[in-house]
Amino acid sequence: MDKKIKNYQAVLEKYLQEEADDKIIAGIEFQVIADRRNNHFQLVETGWYDNHYIHSVIFHFQIKSNGKIWLLINNSDILVADELMKRGVPASDIVLGFQPEKVRPYTGFATA
């Protein structure tokens, strides 16, 4: 299990860094926050845009001790679970945590 979790940590960090590197908006910084000890991974945006301060989480993932990746938030139009599958993560290891528990069996991904 430890090898699987380390692999998923690397997958998430690489994916989030690529997303951060691809985004260019004047005055906004895109930052990856990776907490390997607690297995939380986020992409956040901060800065000023049109006289408004922006601070928001674009993606938040957590890897649970059972090796499942929980997608806790997706504030984008990217089908991020599909992107993870392209990187070798099976649908059975992805939980759409922002979906109600009763809906998860119909998503095509893991339920928990």
Side-chain angles (χ1 to χ4, degrees), residues 53-68:
Y53 183 69
I54 305 292
H55 183 277
S56 63
V57 176
I58 299 171
F59 301 121
H60 183 177
F61 299 95
Q62 181 182 15
I63 305 171
K64 301 280 187 161
S65 60
N66 64 0
K68 306 268 187 194

Side-chain angles (χ1 to χ4, degrees), residues 7-20:
N7 178 53
Y8 286 172
Q9 289 173 335
V11 167
L12 291 175
E13 285 180 354
K14 183 174 186 208
Y15 174 71
L16 292 174
Q17 192 60 59
E18 288 172 3
E19 284 297 314

